[in-house]
Amino acid sequence: MLNKLHIATYNIHKGFSHFNRRVMVHQLRDSLRALNADIIFLQEVVGEHKGHGARFENWPESPQYEFLADSIWTDFAYGKNAVYDEGHHGNAILSRYPILRWDNVDVSAHRFESRGLLHCEIGIPQWRENLHCICVHLGLFKRGRSRQLQLLERHIEELVPKDAPLVIAGDFNDWREMASRVLAQRLALAEVFELTEGRSARTFPATLPLFRLDRIYVRGFHIERAQVHQGHPWSKISDHAVLSAQMILR
């Protein structure tokens, strides 16, 4: 059905297993394909790294977002956030539907922690309004996150029509679960696990999730199903669990 949408969000830990022991991007690609999501929000995606190709035999030649999208997600966008001598990493959105325009907004709180908001406008056949998707990876410190949430709020108010469907997903690093106060009260967004389970999902660490760091916030959708993907094979791929949601456009 054209009014249904299946999305997922995942912090991929730069394509490495726990403690950076093994390259996991090949297993990651297979597992993402098995999810069969329409749109995937990814964090800690390596766009380039000069040293990994020489050090690891199975390191892909193409950027991770291209390698993971392959022929399944025909459109993708990458927001370069952290830049260093060997390369760079950031957020990415993979989509089965055309990405009509995109922008990456720098919301870094300080020079030691580069962060961005990757905003894509996606055209889905027969939808009256374009879908707006924002992939986030917020900072580790409370003050920085508060500032980033304010910037996110301002960005949405300025650039996303109030009647347009909206999905914000990613790693909020929100130990104190404060993001919902801003996004729900001020922007009329709802977190999918708060709607279906009463509270946001535990996603970190993937082997035994204790902390509720990753979220999916939506506006303009009815949630049909929300799921935490943990255990084998996910716990071997990254230090975060995967969240997915099947939704129906209102």
Side-chain angles (χ1 to χ4, degrees), residues 63-129:
Q64 284 184 351
Y65 52 91
E66 289 187 13
F67 177 79
L68 296 173
D70 197 34
S71 58
I72 306 299
W73 295 277
T74 53
D75 278 41
F76 49 81
Y78 168 69
K80 182 195 302 183
N81 295 331
V83 181
Y84 30 85
D85 291 342
E86 291 291 309
H88 49 82
H89 71 266
N91 299 328
I93 292 178
L94 316 181
S95 174
R96 295 184 188 272
Y97 301 108
I99 296 177
L100 305 177
R101 59 184 62 87
W102 66 273
D103 189 21
N104 193 52
V105 181
D106 185 0
V107 293
S108 304
H110 49 77
R111 64 189 181 93
F112 301 107
E113 197 176 47
S114 301
R115 304 290 181 178
L117 308 174
L118 177 61
H119 179 183
C120 292
E121 190 171 344
I122 297 175
I124 300 181
Q126 300 184 27
W127 283 28
R128 187 174 64 255
E129 299 283 348

